[in-house]
Amino acid sequence: MRDFHSLGIDVNRRTAGHIKTTCPHCTETRHNKRDKSLSVNLDDGKFLCHHCGWKGCVPDETELRERRQRAESRKRQQVPPAHFRRPTFDLTRLTLSEKTEHYLVSTRYLSQSAIRDLRITEQEEFMPQSGKLENCICFNYFESGELVNTKFRSGQKHFKMVKDAELIPYNIDSILDTPECIITEGEMDAASFVTIGRRDVVSVPSGANSNLTWLDRFIPTHFEDKKTIYIAVDEDSAGLKLRDELLRRLGTERCRIVHFGPGCKDANEHLAQFGAESLGICIEQAEEIPLEGVFTAEELAGELRALYENGMSSGAETGWENFDKYCTLELQRLLLISGRPGDGKSEWLDELVMRLCLRHQWKVAYFSPENMPIVYHHRKLIEKLTGFGFNPSVGMTEELYQKSVQFLTENVCHILPGDEDYSIDTILQKARGLVVRKGIRILVIDPLNRIDQRLPPGQTELQYLSSLLNSLSRFATHYHCLVILVAHPRKMNRNPLTGVTPCVGMYDIFGSSDFYNKADFGIIVERDDQKGLVTIHVEKVKFKHLGTPGNATFVYNIVNGRYSPCEEGAGDKPGPINTQFDNKAWI
């Protein structure tokens, strides 16, 4: 939890989304003291006053703890041992022979800028393997701009390093104070990543050797502040041992494993066979390491103190006042929506998502095979965004159309695996990529029955559904997302006397009572065609500070697909429509 109170920022007991509030820096000196000029992003802690320009970021407890640890580590920073030999760098050797340059560029596919930036040189050196002088490519190891060591590589693949020089990571200066880094098994692989534009890359100095004592001195200064570390070593037995030791030393929670695909043992082979763009995709698709988290009260002391002093706060609002008084939303939660077929579950869900996207900048990814083709779904979303029918008219101008398309391009993605299966694992794999690439905050799965059920041998359907819900909850928690699942109910029979189909409840969802038990929010959509009303039943809000069960009634606009709140109990004559949520000003 972020302690905005310590800076005098009043967030009105909210915990998620974007809000505007008064600025503690300039309010007292202003004529209009009620002007809410301070924009606050409660999700990442950033704030900005649009009047005085005051801005900053309120860290959470994890970020504060990391800052303290880095500061303490730098105080204890070891200086390089003085007894190591330091070679002298010869600038005249930077000019490579035509043969060597052709080998690096045309055979190894390194860029000339990478060769220049890494200061790769060439010289003759006595190699103990052959007992004679050999022409060598020289990979020079610098720290703070000073040459510390050199690895010599001859055309016969003989290697040696400077005698009595210190072992340090290759290209170590490139990762100082960077949020990420890549670790390779060899200098040629590091140069391959530099070629594709990733300068934050180092190589281990001694190949696939699990003895990492050379790493000790650089942990606090170069690795401790890393958010993500990509392990891009060879996938042979020696490389796997090196990978496992790096994971143990650096921590699995922030490491990703890079795979180079069949027929490629390392980064340089992948670059040579498939090109720079494909090597970049290897980084984007790096595998996460499963991690079980363990926490103590001491480690959560700051968040616990902020909760104690500031109390529980409501979540993100939608702008539907009649709905918000019963339910406010938070990230890291699972929201379940159900209702009878044809009652408009997806229609209402679309407006809910667009409101959250507009008000709080929560980008969304849909897995919605029933909204096919995707352009039809875009048409519906644009109508909700603009309030106009999707055709050239007085309302839907060309300018508004272009702005709407741009908004959807920046904020909405659709997951459609194509020839791949529609299993939950495939969907979540695609969604993980969109968290990294697009920064999505909402994942919509609409509906559940379009997911391929693949029950392992011996597993019942109830066990499968329980496992699926657990996977969605873990995804929401781990990736700081709101996951929304639409699930159909079991068949509801009409009352033979009245001809009315009863309203669905959370326990009526087909398959398992776990839908009610494991959801953080439970919502039922019910449409009454005779009265022309849609009732949203908020059946479950797991945490009372986020809301309480209740009903919100709406009128559906068939022209633009919007839901307008109306007075409860209005019957055949709905009350005044709330038109306060005017999207034209938002996009």
Side-chain angles (χ1 to χ4, degrees), residues 322-323 325-326 533 535 550-554 565-571 575:
N322 61 337
F323 176 78
K325 69 180 180 181
Y326 296 116
L533 299 177
T535 302
N551 300 329
T553 309
F554 295 87
C566 70
E567 296 176 350
E568 288 191 37

Side-chain angles (χ1 to χ4, degrees), residues 5-6 13 19 24 30 115 205-206 210 279 299 332 343 347 394 407 412 453 463 468 481 492 494 499 506 565 569:
H5 181 72
S6 63
R13 303 178 68 82
I19 65 167
R30 299 189 61 191
I115 297 170
S206 50
S210 59
L279 183 57
E299 291 170 323
Q332 299 184 289
D343 274 10
E347 282 285 344
V394 175
F407 179 86
V412 179
Q453 287 194 18
Q463 291 170 332
L468 182 145
C481 289
M492 307 294 290
R494 293 177 181 269
M506 290 284 288

Side-chain angles (χ1 to χ4, degrees), residues 455 459-468 511-514:
L455 278 63
Q459 187 181 62
T460 66
E461 184 177 12
L462 290 178
Q463 291 170 332
Y464 165 79
L465 290 174
S466 178
S467 176
L468 182 145
S512 173
S513 61
D514 278 342

Side-chain angles (χ1 to χ4, degrees), residues 415-480:
I415 297 172
L416 197 62
D419 294 335
E420 302 174 58
D421 60 65
Y422 280 16
S423 68
I424 189 61
D425 291 336
T426 298
I427 295 166
L428 293 184
Q429 179 186 17
K430 303 292 185 183
R432 280 194 291 268
L434 291 174
V435 169
V436 175
R437 297 185 187 185
K438 298 289 188 178
I440 66 164
R441 291 288 197 176
I442 301 174
L443 171 62
V444 174
I445 297 178
D446 178 16
L448 170 66
N449 63 359
R450 293 300 296 270
I451 296 176
D452 292 341
Q453 287 194 18
R454 297 192 172 183
L455 278 63
Q459 187 181 62
T460 66
E461 184 177 12
L462 290 178
Q463 291 170 332
Y464 165 79
L465 290 174
S466 178
S467 176
L468 182 145
L469 292 171
N470 287 338
S471 296
L472 295 179
S473 293
R474 284 195 296 266
F475 182 90
T477 300
H478 186 79
Y479 292 101
H480 214 73

